[in-house]
Amino acid sequence: SELAEAHRNEQNGNLKAALHDFQAVLVLDGLQAEALAGKQRVMAELQGDPKALADGLEDGIRSYYASRFEQAAASISLYLDGGGLHNQGAAHFYLGASLLSQAILADPHDQAKQSSLRQDADQQFQMARQENYLPVEKLVSPRILAEWAQSGSRQ
């Protein structure tokens, strides 16, 4: 199981993999106590490791470009929650883009989920703007850029 794999990775010192596995369990069950505790333990260890945090951000951005939006959001959130200090503007932008992509692809009958994801994306875009982040337009979908532009007009 994913949880057993997370524990194995944690015991072997492969903290990034353990964190990813704990996060995968939490995507399925956000209240799974063992996964929550494991995620907290691993995050506490990673906080003292800026390189691991930066690698997590890079993994998140790679996941975004591979259209693995939930994984991207999870990795980037961990970077931000773990105290990543550099590239916060990029982190907020790509987290917003990942959330917005999830909203676009969500079940059209689940308006509450779409609305929540869009609001969260808008909030992330606003935080990216506060960091004076400007996306590389040729690398980002025109639909995402349109929402990015609209979020700037709502500030």
Side-chain angles (χ1 to χ4, degrees):
S1 81
E2 200 83 37
L3 193 55
E5 187 67 23
H7 287 298
R8 258 191 307 282
N9 282 323
E10 183 180 11
Q11 288 171 346
N12 293 334
N14 190 351
L15 299 179
K16 279 178 38 183
L19 194 53
H20 181 269
D21 293 337
F22 283 128
Q23 194 65 35
V25 172
L26 292 170
V27 166
L28 298 175
D29 178 3
L31 300 176
Q32 210 290 344
E34 219 176 314
L36 284 169
K39 176 184 169 186
Q40 294 240 254
R41 277 192 314 273
V42 171
M43 280 183 61
E45 287 187 55
L46 287 174
Q47 274 188 319
D49 187 351
K51 177 162 179 9
L53 285 174
D55 288 348
L57 174 59
E58 185 177 322
D59 290 345
I61 293 172
R62 287 181 198 275
S63 293
Y64 170 79
Y65 283 114
S67 298
R68 293 188 311 264
F69 303 119
E70 285 184 13
Q71 184 177 339
S75 294
I76 297 167
S77 292
L78 290 172
Y79 170 81
L80 290 166
D81 295 344
L85 299 175
H86 304 291
N87 304 312
Q88 282 196 346
H92 286 297
F93 174 79
Y94 281 101
L95 179 53
S98 297
L99 295 168
L100 180 57
S101 297
Q102 288 177 59
I104 291 167
L105 297 172
D107 179 354
H109 301 296
D110 192 346
Q111 293 292 319
K113 182 175 183 176
Q114 282 185 342
S115 177
S116 174
L117 286 166
R118 284 182 183 280
Q119 286 176 355
D120 291 346
D122 191 55
Q123 190 175 42
Q124 293 301 319
F125 284 162
Q126 289 180 21
M127 286 189 267
R129 284 183 192 292
Q130 290 171 1
E131 295 288 328
N132 298 313
Y133 182 75
L134 294 173
V136 180
E137 293 187 11
K138 65 183 176 185
L139 298 179
V140 181
S141 151
R143 189 158 180 192
I144 300 296
L145 289 173
E147 291 279 341
W148 163 259
Q150 285 181 355
S151 77
S153 66
R154 289 190 291 263
Q155 273 191 325

